[in-house]
Amino acid sequence: MESFGKLKRRGTDLLNSVPGNMPSMPSMPQMPQMPHMPQLPRMPRKASHSTMKGTWQHISIPSLPRSSHSLDIVAGNAYIFGGEVEPRKPVDNDMHVITLPSNSASADYYTVKARPTPKDLYPETAPKAISEEDETAAELKDPLTDVPLSSPPTTAAAIDDETEPSSATTAKGKAPDFASDVPRPRIGHASAVIGSRIFIFGGRSAASETLDENGRVWVFETKTHTWTHLDPSRNSPVPPARSYFAAVATDKPRDFAIKPVRRTSSWKEWAEGDSAEVGIPQRPITGSIAAHATDEEDAGFGTLIIHGGCLAGGARTGDVWAFDVRSRTWKELPAAPGPARGGPALALAKGRLYRFGGFDGAAEQGGQLDVLELALDEFDDRVSRGEVGVFARGEWQSLLAPGSISATTTSAGTPTTIDEEAAAAKLVPARDEEWPGNRSVASLELVLGGGGREYLVLQLGERSPSAAGHAGAGAFWSDVWAFQVPPVGRTLASFADSVMHAVGRKTGEGKWTRVSTGPYDDDDPLDVRGPEPRGWLASAPLGDLEENAVLVFGGLSERNERLGDGWIFRLG
């Protein structure tokens, strides 16, 4: 038997002989050499600016010409209120409703006449809080001691109540008088949405009459198509009456402190629980849950924020006020930097208030984006916990256009360094960054893009005023810009931007980008044409219907004509 060494050597010799025993392949002909190409001259590099894309879609509805009106969108319906066709003459106090197109359904339009909400649904004053002592006293009290056996005496007040009809009743052949229970026709007001309700404040009723309603906020109930109002509490400060200002809203505070469950005094009460009200699983009491159900909008939640505008005496202002819906109190926030102005554009994103543009009485404002960070005050006593109210965290910060002397300024006018602003909101402009032109009475709305990114979309607006004042029309913009809101918290957008920063690549956060617009439908001539330049318009984001879309309606054209068309702009 051969040894292992001989077998290994014989295997090696066999493998080495394999290439020599294989037939050789024929050699391939050599490829001819390509001629030398002359070198092309190097073209000079041109500074290029990034752009985004967007589309315009015309809404087919009857023309509703007006300017200086308000527009809000709730659950796929657009609500248009107020405005003017002739200068300084409000049209009506009807609510004009547009059902926005969705999927294959086209748009629809109808009008809602102004009617008040029944008073039994919304009392004039907020209900008094009930303490545990009040509940204990009510339980110990005999429920029949205060019930008289005889008929109640007839008083003069009772006779008056029986003979004089209330505002909700009608005389025979006469229409009810709702003048004090619904808002008057107005122009130059502002509105915002909280939940399913539309909140409206301020405005003008005539050429020289600024509506002074002592801080009253009007509320339109989209569920019932009726009006109610909220008057400030007795100790609340009141903002000056104004017109041609801006407003936004937040649904905070909303999670209020819940009253702790009352402790039972005996084991029997603990065992029975609420069976006397809701029954037991074998024998439930039908309707008990619905009878005690409440709507959180009845008590109210959220905050309405207003800024700027023209005061009753003709002066302009730059103040900021917040109205807490639940407590019905006004609170003044830090005033915005720069000159006082009317017609500013205002938006709320990522807990920050953004302001752009306006008219100071001499020229259109711009060249900077002002930012105020908001925060939510909370209550926690280890027994209950809830949200209290919205307040400003620090002063305003301003992102200036490239080429400015200082990168940021505070509301007090003192400059800050770029590093401080970069650490606070990452709003550091590049030297070659494009910037929107100065404008007022424009549209600034928040939309949602891909990856969780949010954008402020700035559209249209007045670029220079008319020499005839409000009786004429100035020059207007037709462009669209998008500002990428710096991300906050852990989102897909913040993670992607962090990776981009780590590899040394630039991101679009905290900068303006020009939007290149085109038609939504290439076969529709109106979509191809797009909206004409305008100002004094109204706009609102479509929200859950289309998170990347904004509705623009009406306005004033350069021909000094009130426009009645509606357009949907979609980013991306």
Side-chain angles (χ1 to χ4, degrees):
M1 187 174 179
E2 296 182 346
S3 62
F4 176 75
K6 291 182 178 181
L7 290 176
K8 181 178 179 182
R9 185 166 55 250
R10 183 178 298 180
T12 303
D13 295 339
L14 182 62
L15 291 175
N16 292 334
S17 64
V18 170
N21 298 329
M22 294 292 292
S24 61
M25 297 296 293
S27 60
M28 297 297 294
Q30 187 177 4
M31 295 295 293
Q33 188 175 3
M34 296 297 293
H36 180 71
M37 296 297 292
Q39 186 176 4
L40 295 175
R42 181 173 296 180
M43 300 297 292
R45 287 192 175 183
K46 194 174 182 180
S48 61
H49 299 282
S50 60
T51 59
M52 302 180 68
K53 294 185 179 297
T55 59
W56 285 108
Q57 179 189 10
H58 179 263
I59 302 179
S60 299
I61 60 170
S63 179
L64 190 66
R66 61 191 57 206
S67 63
S68 303
H69 52 293
S70 63
L71 170 66
D72 300 278
I73 296 179
V74 179
N77 294 318
Y79 296 85
I80 301 172
F81 181 77
E84 62 183 6
V85 176
E86 299 181 17
R88 306 296 191 186
K89 294 182 180 180
V91 285
D92 53 42
N93 66 343
D94 297 339
M95 184 64 78
H96 302 268
V97 186
I98 300 174
T99 303
L100 298 175
S102 178
N103 298 328
S104 59
S106 59
D108 195 10
Y109 164 76
Y110 61 95
T111 303
V112 177
K113 294 295 182 181
R115 293 184 60 85
T117 300
K119 293 183 179 297
D120 56 346
L121 295 181
Y122 295 97
E124 291 295 330
T125 58
K128 182 181 177 182
I130 301 177
S131 61
E132 294 187 8
E133 291 76 8
D134 296 335
E135 292 182 354
T136 304
E139 291 179 358
L140 296 177
K141 192 175 183 180
D142 185 358
L144 297 179
T145 53
D146 292 341
V147 180
L149 299 178
S150 59
S151 301
T154 303
T155 60
I159 297 177
D160 294 339
D161 292 339
E162 294 178 359
T163 57
E164 295 183 5
S166 63
S167 59
T169 59
T170 59
K172 188 174 182 180
K174 295 183 180 180
D177 182 15
F178 293 148
S180 60
D181 295 330
V182 297
R184 297 164 59 182
R186 61 192 64 204
I187 59 175
H189 57 282
S191 63
V193 174
I194 302 177
S196 65
R197 304 196 293 176
I198 300 173
F199 293 76
I200 293 178
F201 179 78
R204 292 187 182 184
S205 63
S208 58
E209 182 182 354
T210 299
L211 290 170
D212 190 354
E213 299 171 312
N214 297 321
R216 170 177 291 185
V217 177
W218 292 97
V219 183
F220 183 77
E221 305 284 348
T222 60
K223 296 179 181 178
T224 60
H225 286 176
T226 56
W227 287 95
T228 185
H229 60 267
L230 301 176
D231 289 326
S233 60
R234 181 176 301 177
N235 298 325
S236 171
V238 175
R242 66 194 64 203
S243 59
Y244 303 111
F245 59 104
V248 294
T250 174
D251 62 353
K252 298 296 184 179
R254 187 169 187 170
D255 300 327
F256 300 99
I258 301 176
K259 186 178 179 180
V261 180
R262 183 183 176 186
R263 296 182 178 179
T264 56
S265 58
S266 64
W267 283 102
K268 180 181 179 181
E269 291 183 5
W270 175 85
E272 292 179 349
D274 58 353
S275 59
E277 299 178 0
V278 301
I280 59 177
Q282 294 79 7
R283 293 182 180 180
I285 300 177
T286 306
S288 61
I289 297 178
H292 296 86
T294 58
D295 187 351
E296 64 175 343
E297 290 190 343
D298 294 349
F301 62 89
T303 305
L304 174 70
I305 302 175
I306 64 173
H307 162 63
C310 303
L311 304 180
R316 291 170 175 82
T317 181
D319 57 356
V320 182
W321 289 79
F323 180 75
D324 186 89
V325 175
R326 189 179 184 89
S327 64
R328 302 187 184 184
T329 55
W330 284 99
K331 176 173 57 179
E332 188 171 8
L333 302 180
R341 64 196 66 185
L346 199 66
L348 186 62
K350 300 290 188 185
R352 299 188 183 109
L353 194 62
Y354 291 85
R355 193 272 303 267
F356 187 89
F359 183 72
D360 65 355
E364 314 291 342
Q365 294 296 306
Q368 69 182 51
L369 181 65
D370 305 307
V371 186
L372 178 65
E373 186 172 357
L374 303 177
L376 184 63
D377 193 10
E378 295 182 343
F379 170 80
D380 186 0
D381 62 354
R382 296 186 180 182
V383 177
S384 61
R385 179 180 180 181
E387 300 170 347
V388 178
V390 174
F391 67 95
R393 179 175 293 173
E395 297 291 330
W396 285 81
Q397 301 291 324
S398 300
L399 172 67
L400 304 189
S404 302
I405 298 177
S406 60
T408 56
T409 57
T410 65
S411 58
T414 59
T416 62
T417 65
I418 294 180
D419 293 337
E420 291 174 349
E421 177 61 20
K426 303 180 183 178
L427 300 180
V428 181
R431 291 296 177 182
D432 59 346
E433 180 183 336
E434 280 192 297
W435 199 269
N438 296 9
R439 67 192 69 200
S440 65
V441 290
S443 167
L444 183 66
E445 303 293 349
L446 177 69
V447 300
L448 184 64
R453 288 186 174 89
E454 292 183 344
Y455 295 90
L456 298 177
V457 177
L458 178 66
Q459 308 174 82
L460 312 173
E462 185 178 78
R463 63 191 304 174
S464 61
S466 168
H470 199 73
F476 301 106
W477 293 96
S478 62
D479 56 353
V480 181
W481 294 79
F483 178 85
Q484 184 176 329
V485 178
V488 176
R490 296 181 179 180
T491 62
L492 180 60
S494 62
F495 176 76
D497 291 338
S498 299
V499 173
M500 297 284 281
H501 283 300
V503 299
R505 297 184 60 182
K506 295 182 179 180
T507 64
E509 66 176 42
K511 63 175 294 185
W512 287 104
T513 303
R514 184 186 296 272
V515 179
S516 176
T517 58
Y520 180 76
D521 185 358
D522 295 333
D523 298 330
D524 191 330
L526 293 177
D527 289 5
V528 174
R529 187 196 67 185
E532 61 182 293
R534 66 188 67 193
W536 308 90
L537 60 135
S539 64
L542 268 63
D544 295 337
L545 187 63
E546 291 186 65
E547 295 180 333
N548 66 328
V550 176
L551 175 63
V552 174
F553 192 90
L556 181 66
S557 71
E558 293 181 338
R559 306 185 308 275
N560 198 23
E561 295 180 358
R562 266 69 186 180
L563 303 171
D565 53 350
W567 297 84
I568 295 179
F569 171 80
R570 294 177 176 88
L571 182 65

